[in-house]
Structures are given as C-alpha cells and as structure tokens.
Amino acid sequence: ANPLSQQQTVLVTSLIPHLLKNIEQNRANHDRLGFFEVAGCWTLDKDIIKEKKVIAGIFFDKKEYDFYAAKQQLLQLFDVLKINVTWKKAATVAQWAHQYQIADLFYHQQKIGSAGFIKERLMHQIGGGQAFAFELDADFLVNFKPQEKTFTPLSKYQATALDLSVLVPTVVTVEQLTQSL
C-alpha cells in the first residue's frame, strides 16, 4: 500500500537476490566479495502476511569457494553469540540454492535459518564464480540470551582410570616390576 520507493513496490521473501545483484555489480573489480544485509522479509501464512527481520550474507569467489570454509565462518559467528547450532538437510530448497548443498540451521528444535551454495545457473547469469549464502532469523539472534555458565570447582581427588595396589618385598626394584609386566 505504501512502497518505500518506485523501485521497491514488491514485498520480498528473500534478501539473497539483492546480494546477488551486489555481486554482479562489483565482481569486475574484485576476485572475492562478501556482502551482508539486514531487512524485513514477508511470508504468506493462511492469507495473513507476516513480516520478520532477516540477516542475510553472501561470500563470493571468482574461482572456487569451499563449503566448509563458509560453514566455519558461520560457526565462528555462532560461537561468539554462544549459540549451539545444528545443521540438518534442508526440508525445502530455496529458489536460489543448489539442490544438494543447502542446510537448515536449528537451535534445539527451532529453525533459525538456512545456508548453502547458490545455484550454478544463477552464478552463470551474473558472470560465473561460486557463492555461499545464508539467511538467519534476526529477531531470534537479537533476542537470544545465552545460558549463564557457572563455575564448578574441580574435585580435590584426581580422576583415575585404573587403581592397582601391589605388595612386594622392599628388595624388589621398580625396574624389576616393570620388566615383569
């Protein structure tokens, strides 16, 4: 009803197309790029339009980008935020995502986002290369309160895996005992 501008008259369901446009516009000058965006996305749920804040990011390389390197960058973010995230096979594949290289991200049983490679077809349309993208629930990340850690004193008794007592005459040396084992 009230668009932000003449160019923004449609409610978006994903921020990834905007990030791909940024890659397309800046790839000529750089071999590697990374962009991030925080904005609202909308979904239609039983004839009700719902808005939620989303944090999206994309990592691009003209040659090759390693899935596990990108995953490690996201895991470092989650470590800083003290969020234990589980990666699971995506229940639905986003339009931008490679069919077999996308995962849903969960905190306990709550889905907090998705991450994966951009389809090769989309990458060819913008000039080639590889890109890894993610979208995370910004409201969850902002409102997340990590569980407070409390100090647990160490035991005053040393942990042991095996405790063995042997009675031997005092004339027997330690070297003789170890050789007899």
Side-chain angles (χ1 to χ4, degrees):
N2 297 313
L4 295 174
S5 70
Q6 288 181 341
Q7 291 80 25
Q8 296 177 335
T9 58
V10 177
L11 301 178
V12 297
T13 58
S14 174
L15 300 178
I16 301 301
H18 297 153
L19 297 175
L20 285 170
K21 186 74 170 168
N22 289 336
I23 297 290
E24 181 180 29
Q25 292 171 348
N26 293 284
R27 70 182 312 281
N29 300 322
H30 304 281
D31 290 339
R32 299 187 83 181
L33 293 167
F35 291 102
F36 305 91
E37 183 176 358
V38 179
C41 285
W42 290 265
T43 56
L44 184 63
D45 185 23
K46 299 177 185 172
D47 295 332
I48 298 172
I49 297 174
K50 294 183 179 181
E51 179 184 7
K52 70 176 186 174
K53 290 283 185 199
V54 174
I55 296 174
I58 191 166
F59 305 114
F60 165 79
D61 193 306
K62 281 186 180 177
K63 296 177 183 157
E64 184 176 332
Y65 205 85
D66 182 32
F67 178 88
Y68 295 102
K71 180 179 177 181
Q72 185 59 38
Q73 287 180 310
L74 277 181
L75 289 175
Q76 287 174 347
L77 168 69
F78 294 131
D79 285 345
V80 168
L81 298 173
K82 296 179 175 56
I83 301 173
N84 186 17
V85 173
T86 306
W87 294 61
K88 296 182 181 179
K89 181 180 177 183
T92 58
V93 178
Q95 291 180 341
W96 53 265
H98 187 284
Q99 183 178 1
Y100 301 111
Q101 294 177 319
I102 179 124
D104 288 336
L105 308 176
F106 287 86
Y107 175 74
H108 296 295
Q109 301 301 320
Q110 180 182 357
K111 181 180 174 185
I112 62 168
S114 58
F117 270 113
I118 302 291
K119 287 180 182 179
E120 289 177 21
R121 179 178 51 84
L122 290 175
M123 294 309 299
H124 286 297
Q125 288 176 354
I126 65 169
Q130 285 188 324
F132 179 90
F134 62 89
E135 287 187 315
L136 304 173
D137 182 346
D139 292 327
F140 171 82
L141 295 176
V142 169
N143 296 319
F144 179 77
K145 303 251 186 297
Q147 187 176 19
E148 278 194 39
K149 291 186 178 183
T150 57
F151 175 74
T152 305
L154 300 173
S155 173
K156 62 181 181 177
Y157 304 106
Q158 182 179 359
T160 60
L162 175 65
D163 189 8
L164 180 66
S165 297
V166 179
L167 184 61
V168 294
T170 56
V171 292
V172 178
T173 65
V174 173
E175 184 177 331
Q176 291 172 328
L177 280 175
T178 55
Q179 287 177 355
S180 66
L181 294 175

